[in-house]
Amino acid sequence: MGQLFSQAQALMVDGLSADAAPLHQEARRLMYVLVGRDPGDREAKRMLGSVLYGLGSTLVSAGQPDESLEALTECAGVYAELGESGEPGMRALVADVHARKALVLAELGRGVSAVIEADQAVMTYMDLGAGTGDSALFLDLARVLSMNASVLYDYGDHDLAVCSANWAVRFYLSKAEAINEAPLAESFMHGRYLRGSAAIAARVHTRQGRPEIALAVEATEVHSARVMAQTNAPADLRHLVTALVHHGLNLSEAGRSDEGAELIGEGRELNPRTADEATRAWRSLTAQDTTGAARPPSMSFAAALAAAARKLGDDRVPSVLRDLAFDPADGATTVVPSLRCEEQTAPAMATLLAGLAVDLLDDPDPYSAREAGLLGREAHYLFAAASRAQVLSMRFQFHDFGATWARMLLALIPAFETGPGGAVIATDLTGWLAGITLRLQPIALVDQVTGRLVEECNALVERLLP
């Protein structure tokens, strides 16, 4: 078993994930044989969980994300079972699996589920007290915040993404000495997460017009990118070029032209093509598109709320919803959707957001569908968080809140289905709709309105899910 695992790890280090996957699969098979001989052996089950977690990473690197997701789901089940039997430390391990699943789901395009998995991972670590500097889980939380920021940047509110990235950078910088003294593999792992968080923070601060903050965090990104580029791995070198060019362009915009030109020249010398791509990406962030194309609205909850107020009327956006927005430059600690409000008020807030999302879908402005999608997803996240927390109103008033949730998804799913690149999101949301519909079934037996809603939901689910 140990030899199989070591061989698989060596192949992974050499970038031969496809060759490592069969060895990892064989290790899984042998571990199940071992666990089957003594189902009460907790150490064997811990080893099985570790093998499944490693297999999940191997499979996604080998271009098999669906199989990776299956292995990680299996892993979460093993760790959860161990936790129920009293094995210590399992909550943190389950949270790690949620974070890893979030990245795989994001790669598959299932961004809604990815955000919810990442939310659950962050909240678990925070519940475990990982946010205090003396916690043994402090760097684990930093890593999970970085992963969360990545998922949110692609599929969520950019204000949440930048807050999560900001805190990940702060946490990592506060433990810089410990990271530098750690074994090389561990040090490089944290270095890559720091680099990724700094990159996301820099992009969002640049886009949202906070150049001073962007410059500060870009300096961290460039420094960590230089360290990572010592591997000479193509991906690390490309990231360094991008970081150099973006920082150089922002320095030039700030009037520090000589410094900026030096960094841009360094990046161009390393890889001219990547430097050109980075320049185009920066122009898109700063609305300096040479084609003259209109800049799309910012992917932020606050911007979508402001648009809803402008298009539907100020009275349609009550102050309780405006209070859910925040300034990410002001030390905000809202890093996941479920932290926007108290668990007990989440169903009511989600209901208000759902109404805005549905109404925006009828607005003729071409950007309204995008804003409706963002507000609708935020409503979905709050409904899901309240359901996960078993908030009383979600249990005893599901005929109201569940029906609102379902009606919103019935409106949103077709909009995503026909939108650019939204078909996978539509399918992802349909999976959630199927679960909500199942919970509404008993109510449908005694309520005609709910019965008709369930029929509509079932028709959409049958059409979109295989």
Side-chain angles (χ1 to χ4, degrees), residues 6-212:
S6 296
Q7 288 176 350
Q9 290 295 97
L11 289 168
M12 285 288 289
V13 170
D14 291 338
L16 301 173
S17 304
D19 294 326
L23 296 178
H24 246 138
Q25 294 281 24
E26 178 63 10
R28 172 167 71 172
R29 186 189 70 79
L30 292 174
M31 280 308 311
Y32 271 113
V33 171
L34 187 61
V35 169
R37 289 175 182 168
D38 184 3
D41 186 347
R42 290 186 185 178
E43 185 56 35
K45 285 187 176 178
R46 262 187 175 271
M47 288 175 62
L48 171 60
S50 180
V51 167
L52 289 169
Y53 187 87
L55 177 61
S57 298
T58 301
L59 289 171
V60 77
S61 298
Q64 302 175 56
D66 288 303
E67 292 81 356
S68 170
L69 198 58
E70 290 176 11
L72 290 170
T73 301
E74 206 174 313
C75 176
V78 171
Y79 285 149
E81 183 182 337
L82 280 168
E84 290 168 4
S85 68
E87 185 73 3
M90 291 299 107
R91 285 188 67 199
L93 291 180
V94 172
D96 268 349
V97 178
H98 283 303
R100 183 64 59 183
K101 283 180 69 177
L103 293 184
V104 178
L105 286 163
E107 182 168 326
L108 287 166
R110 295 172 56 186
V112 171
S113 291
V115 169
I116 290 171
E117 291 281 347
D119 186 316
Q120 194 166 352
V122 171
M123 291 304 295
T124 299
Y125 269 110
M126 293 180 73
D127 288 344
L128 290 169
T132 58
D134 58 351
S135 170
L137 300 173
F138 188 78
L139 286 177
D140 291 314
L141 175 56
R143 172 175 49 82
V144 168
L145 284 170
S146 178
M147 297 161 83
N148 177 59
S150 173
V151 170
L152 286 167
Y153 186 73
D154 289 335
Y155 293 106
D157 172 16
H158 278 187
D159 287 345
L160 288 176
V162 76
C163 276
S164 190
N166 284 344
W167 282 105
V169 170
R170 288 183 183 125
F171 285 2
Y172 273 130
L173 292 181
S174 72
K175 295 291 184 180
E177 186 176 346
I179 293 170
N180 291 336
E181 293 175 355
L184 192 59
E186 182 180 340
S187 180
F188 265 65
M189 176 194 71
H190 288 306
R192 286 196 170 92
Y193 283 118
L194 169 60
R195 181 188 65 186
S197 295
I200 289 169
R203 306 305 179 264
V204 177
H205 286 306
T206 295
R207 183 180 183 87
Q208 295 185 347
R210 293 183 285 269
E212 290 184 5

Side-chain angles (χ1 to χ4, degrees), residues 226-260:
R226 287 191 191 282
V227 175
M228 296 302 105
Q230 292 175 16
T231 64
N232 286 320
D236 290 330
L237 289 170
R238 284 195 299 272
H239 198 131
L240 174 59
V241 172
T242 300
L244 288 167
V245 171
H246 280 207
H247 193 35
L249 289 167
N250 271 345
L251 284 169
S252 298
E253 280 288 297
R256 296 160 63 180
S257 302
D258 291 344
E259 295 173 74

Side-chain angles (χ1 to χ4, degrees), residues 364-375:
D365 187 298
Y367 291 131
S368 291
R370 176 173 171 163
E371 292 149 0
L374 192 149
L375 293 178

